[in-house]
Amino acid sequence: MSDTANIAATERVRVDWIIFGIIGALCIGIFLYVMAGRQYALRDSSTGFDGLELWLRDQGHTAQTFTGGWPLDRSTIGLLIQPIYDTQPGKDRARAQTKDELLLQPDEFDQTLDVIRDKAQSTPSLVILPKWRSGLRLTGLGHPILLSPEEGIEAVLHGIVGSNVGTIRSARVPFTDFDVASDDALTARLYAAQVFDGQGCEPRVGRRGAMVLGLCPLPGDGEQQNVHVLSDPDLMNNHGLVLGDNARIAARVLPEIAGEKRIIIDYSDRNWLTDPQQHVARERTWDDLKRLFEPPFLTLWIGAGLLLALAVWRGGVRSGPVADLSLGLGSGKRTANRVRARLMRMTDQDGALLSDFIDTRLRARAASVFGTSHALRGTPEDAYLNYIRTRKPDLTAKLEDLIASIRALPPHLGPEHAIPYVDQFELILEQLADDA
């Protein structure tokens, strides 16, 4: 007598948790991509400075790219490099409507002159003026038509160090070489070179009247009285490091300015510099929580809600609850029969169980002969007996006598007495099936 009471559920992998983990990882990846996509595309492009960071690290100097988000201890910074990609700081950038407008767009993202000056006045800084339109970043090809307007670049220069420094102009020849003040053996080479007069500035690359990199006076009452100005970003960006001795110049000049401290390439549009003793206020308000439900987070929440609704509908409404296959249960009728048989065996009612058994076997034979949807007169057992009586009357008579004998058995019958009846019953059914 088999025991089905102690059926243990087999251990299996929770596929639903794996799916939820994959979805969570995808959401996090999409969030990080949306947040850093544009900055990364800019830093990694021809006009970015990721190559400068890698080059300085390769030369044994401490360099780091910073896009904002946490305070920077300015006492640990030897040189703060500030690339400028906005020819109209303080004014919102107009969104391009056509492909041509996008290629000729002079501004990459919005910046503010006040923030740039505040950073330069608090820590040693190198301000890199804009030069190229968005077309260079998008196509990777340099052409004079993609140069930003000189009047906008000059306005940025004057907004930082004043108008006394002179004007901005571009060279009329494809390539121009410039000397380095600290090393006569190094020569900077620039395509469509952009220089400024540099009046009142100390030249580092180039000369007065045609200066590329210089140390200029910085107006204001800040701690720093001077700021380094680089008029042509091609001296140190990804596009220009491979020309001439530009890479060697960057590895020579920048560490001299920074000393033993680290070099930060700052792409942020806010001032994150702090003093070591300065207390950083981290007060949180409900507005901080509301930002989690604004774009692009709103799109993620909507997607998560739709996914949850689909999962609930698919699992709880359309398909019903998940069946536990480890218990081996079938339909409700089959389960009821198994439970009833189990109870009969436990109470030693093998006679009653045998009567139910022959009824079930006859109904199964009737279903195989007539089908499950065929209309029958009377019970399926009687219909089957009438069917075989017309074909095999001798076997049918034996079967009916055996059925009558089984139904006359007492309910409390031992298994050893019930098994012979089962064998005889099954033998007759097999003979009927063979002769059919």
Side-chain angles (χ1 to χ4, degrees), residues 328-377:
L329 299 179
S331 63
K333 187 174 182 180
R334 183 179 301 173
T335 302
N337 290 336
R338 290 181 178 179
V339 172
R340 184 177 180 183
R342 172 66 178 162
L343 292 175
M344 287 182 178
R345 284 194 296 269
M346 293 177 65
T347 56
D348 294 329
Q349 297 188 29
D350 287 50
L353 177 62
L354 187 58
S355 179
D356 285 348
F357 170 74
I358 63 173
D359 290 340
T360 302
R361 293 289 284 128
L362 292 176
R363 283 195 296 269
R365 283 302 180 95
S368 65
V369 173
F370 305 112
T372 57
S373 60
H374 189 74
L376 301 175
R377 287 186 178 182

Side-chain angles (χ1 to χ4, degrees), residues 60-63 76-80 124 204 228 251-263:
H61 307 295
T62 304
T76 64
I77 300 174
L79 179 62
L80 185 72
R204 302 296 297 267
H228 286 84
R252 171 74 178 274
V253 174
L254 298 183
E256 287 181 356
I257 301 173
E260 299 297 329
K261 298 180 180 180
R262 56 179 176 163
I263 300 172

Side-chain angles (χ1 to χ4, degrees), residues 13 27 37 68 74 95 158 160 194 215 221 226 234 272 276 278 294 330 348 377 380 399 411 418 434:
V13 179
C27 292
R74 64 188 181 96
R95 185 179 296 274
H158 292 170
I160 297 174
Q194 178 176 279
L215 181 63
D221 300 329
N226 300 288
D234 290 348
W272 296 93
Q278 181 179 351
E294 297 176 355
D348 294 329
R377 287 186 178 182
L399 180 62
D434 293 339

Side-chain angles (χ1 to χ4, degrees), residues 28-179:
I28 294 174
I30 293 173
F31 166 72
L32 295 177
Y33 177 79
V34 171
M35 295 299 293
R38 184 171 182 83
Q39 282 282 6
Y40 176 78
L42 179 62
R43 302 195 317 261
D44 193 54
S45 67
S46 301
T47 56
F49 292 88
D50 275 3
L52 177 63
E53 177 194 2
L54 296 176
W55 170 246
L56 292 175
R57 288 185 177 182
D58 185 68
Q59 297 301 306
H61 307 295
T62 304
Q64 175 187 349
T65 295
F66 180 73
T67 58
W70 63 88
L72 281 178
D73 183 0
R74 64 188 181 96
S75 64
T76 64
I77 300 174
L79 179 62
L80 185 72
I81 300 176
Q82 299 188 63
I84 301 177
Y85 294 95
D86 191 353
T87 59
Q88 295 178 317
K91 183 178 179 181
D92 292 340
R93 178 173 54 94
R95 185 179 296 274
Q97 301 298 323
T98 65
K99 182 178 180 180
D100 291 339
E101 289 181 4
L102 180 61
L103 291 175
L104 299 178
Q105 194 172 36
D107 305 330
E108 294 285 5
F109 62 93
D110 294 327
Q111 294 175 275
T112 307
L113 278 179
D114 292 339
V115 173
I116 297 172
R117 283 195 300 263
D118 290 343
K119 294 178 183 178
Q121 289 174 354
S122 60
T123 191
S125 298
L126 168 61
V127 175
I128 302 178
L129 299 179
K131 177 181 179 180
W132 296 101
R133 300 176 187 265
S134 299
L136 178 62
R137 173 179 61 84
L138 297 173
T139 65
L141 302 175
H143 191 276
I145 198 175
L146 297 179
L147 293 173
S148 295
E150 294 180 359
E151 58 272 15
I153 302 172
E154 188 173 294
V156 174
L157 174 63
H158 292 170
I160 297 174
V161 297
S163 58
N164 295 332
V165 74
T167 60
I168 286 283
R169 62 183 182 277
S170 298
R172 301 306 176 187
V173 295
F175 291 96
T176 309
D177 293 339
F178 297 91
D179 296 331

